[in-house]
């Protein structure tokens, strides 16, 4: 069996925001990384930054568009030569506006990324690693995966899926005695490129639209708190912006 120093943490959506900062946090703990995103140059910059600070950390770049179904399976096949320990499904897309006014093509892309890619990658990882001690799957949802936000109905619906799927998977594995831990992180407003993309605005101003928000670095810190805990949910309260570690919130039929 390989030692932890030979195993890898996989992070999708690592070219910016929470994924970018999370990669640096895991690197600071000596974790080898497989960073995944569409933007090769951003990934190269991240690898350079990590290598300069933590030269012992191995960083593998995978330039992949996860909105294309065949790419999802190809990515996982490409990673079979690596021993994995943690998988973080961070890649996601938002879209704001009334349902009737939204672009169906953008909705389709959002569903492919937020739901399809996350589900397939989670399923493949669990299938191969569920009985290996110390493994973790962390899926990034949203506070909007527990509360319906006006003008973000479709986005919230995709994140409700992420929350319920991840909570249900966590319960399923616990009940079966699997060794893998499955967790869900639910940020509230976080200053990333998300706001620009979701609002189709190149100059989206978080200070104007939100009285309070977290930075990507703060959310990466919260993710590590969740990683270190035995809880299944790490969630930001939309009213107080306090971070809480919780047991599952959805009912689980018996």
């Amino acid at each position: 069996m390989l030692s932890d120093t030979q195993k890898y943490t996989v992070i999708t959506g690592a070219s910016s925001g929470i994924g970018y900062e999370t990669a640096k946090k895991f690197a600071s703990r000596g974790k080898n990384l497989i960073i995944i995103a569409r933007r090769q140059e951003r990934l190269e910059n991240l690898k350079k930054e990590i290598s300069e600070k933590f030269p012992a950390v191995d960083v593998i770049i995978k330039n992949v568009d996860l909105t294309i179904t065949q790419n999802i399976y190809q990515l996982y096949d490409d990673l079979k030569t690596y021993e994995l320990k943690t998988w973080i499904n961070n890649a996601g897309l938002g879209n704001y506006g009334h349902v009737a006014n939204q672009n169906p093509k953008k909705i389709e892309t959002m569903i492919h990324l937020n739901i399809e890619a996350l589900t397939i990658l989670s399923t493949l990882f669990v299938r191969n690693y569920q009985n290996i001690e110390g493994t973790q799957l962390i899926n990034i949802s949203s506070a909007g995966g527990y509360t319906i936000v006006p003008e973000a109905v479709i986005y919230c619906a995709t994140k409700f899926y992420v929350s319920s799927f991840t909570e249900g998977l966590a319960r399923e594995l616990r009940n079966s005695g699997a060794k893998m831990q499955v967790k869900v992180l639910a940020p509230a407003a976080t200053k990333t490129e998300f706001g620009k993309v979701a609002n189709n605005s190149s100059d989206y101003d978080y200070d104007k639209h939100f009285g309070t928000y977290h930075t990507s670095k703060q959310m990466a810190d919260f993710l590590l708190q969740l990683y270190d805990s035995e809880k299944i949910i790490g969630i930001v309260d939309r009213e107080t912006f306090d971070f809480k570690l919780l047991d599952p919130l959805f009912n689980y039929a018996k």
Side-chain angles (χ1 to χ4, degrees):
M1 180 179 293
L2 297 177
S3 68
D4 280 354
T5 58
Q6 296 171 289
K7 297 179 181 180
Y8 288 80
T9 294
V10 178
I11 304 174
T12 69
S15 61
S16 66
I18 296 171
Y20 195 98
E21 296 298 335
T22 297
K24 292 193 291 183
K25 292 290 185 181
F26 273 83
S28 72
R29 292 189 173 193
K31 307 292 187 183
N32 296 322
L33 298 167
I34 300 172
I35 51 176
I36 301 161
R38 290 180 297 112
R39 295 177 289 189
Q40 177 81 19
E41 185 177 353
R42 294 282 192 93
L43 294 177
E44 295 285 358
N45 290 339
L46 175 57
K47 179 176 181 176
K48 180 180 178 182
E49 185 176 349
I50 289 171
S51 297
E52 288 174 351
K53 292 182 179 179
F54 311 106
V57 171
D58 189 25
V59 181
I60 306 298
I61 288 175
K62 293 292 181 181
N63 178 220
V64 183
D65 183 352
L66 292 174
T67 66
I68 300 172
T69 304
Q70 65 187 40
N71 290 354
I72 302 168
Y73 290 100
Q74 186 61 57
L75 168 68
Y76 196 82
D77 283 344
D78 290 345
L79 300 188
K80 286 182 177 178
T81 57
Y82 301 96
E83 185 76 15
L84 309 180
K85 184 173 183 181
T86 304
W87 191 295
I88 301 171
N89 280 313
N90 169 71
L93 175 68
N95 196 33
Y96 290 160
H98 292 291
V99 172
N101 298 331
Q102 293 195 20
N103 182 335
K105 279 298 181 183
K106 189 172 182 181
I107 293 169
E108 181 182 339
T109 300
M110 182 167 63
I111 291 171
H112 281 311
L113 188 58
N114 293 9
I115 295 178
E116 182 184 51
L118 178 141
T119 306
I120 293 171
L121 291 171
S122 295
T123 301
L124 294 171
F125 181 60
V126 168
R127 179 179 296 170
N128 293 144
Y129 287 90
Q130 62 180 309
N131 291 315
I132 297 177
E133 193 70 46
T135 54
Q136 289 200 39
L137 168 68
I138 301 178
N139 287 331
I140 309 303
S141 180
S142 167
Y146 292 93
T147 303
I148 299 173
V149 180
E151 296 197 24
V153 172
I154 300 176
Y155 170 73
C156 287
T158 69
K159 291 302 186 178
F160 263 85
Y161 174 87
V162 173
S163 298
S164 61
F165 166 72
T166 309
E167 285 194 24
L169 176 57
R171 296 262 195 129
E172 186 173 275
L173 290 186
R174 281 191 177 182
N175 289 348
S176 69
K179 296 177 180 178
M180 178 184 288
Q181 291 181 290
V182 175
K183 302 172 181 178
V184 57
L185 180 71
T190 306
K191 190 175 183 180
T192 67
E193 293 181 355
F194 175 90
K196 294 179 180 180
V197 176
N199 291 279
N200 299 303
S201 172
S202 60
D203 59 352
Y204 187 78
D205 188 340
Y206 271 85
D207 292 314
K208 179 180 178 181
H209 289 88
F210 296 98
T212 306
Y213 55 79
H214 288 116
T215 65
S216 298
K217 289 182 180 180
Q218 288 173 312
M219 284 311 309
D221 284 333
F222 294 154
L223 191 151
L224 278 183
Q225 289 181 41
L226 176 63
Y227 176 82
D228 289 336
S229 80
E230 296 297 318
K231 296 295 187 180
I232 288 175
I233 300 172
I235 189 169
V236 174
D237 187 297
R238 289 187 70 249
E239 301 300 323
T240 65
F241 274 77
D242 292 335
F243 180 67
K244 302 174 182 178
L245 294 169
L246 304 173
D247 293 319
L249 295 174
F250 290 118
N251 291 329
Y252 190 74
K254 297 181 179 178

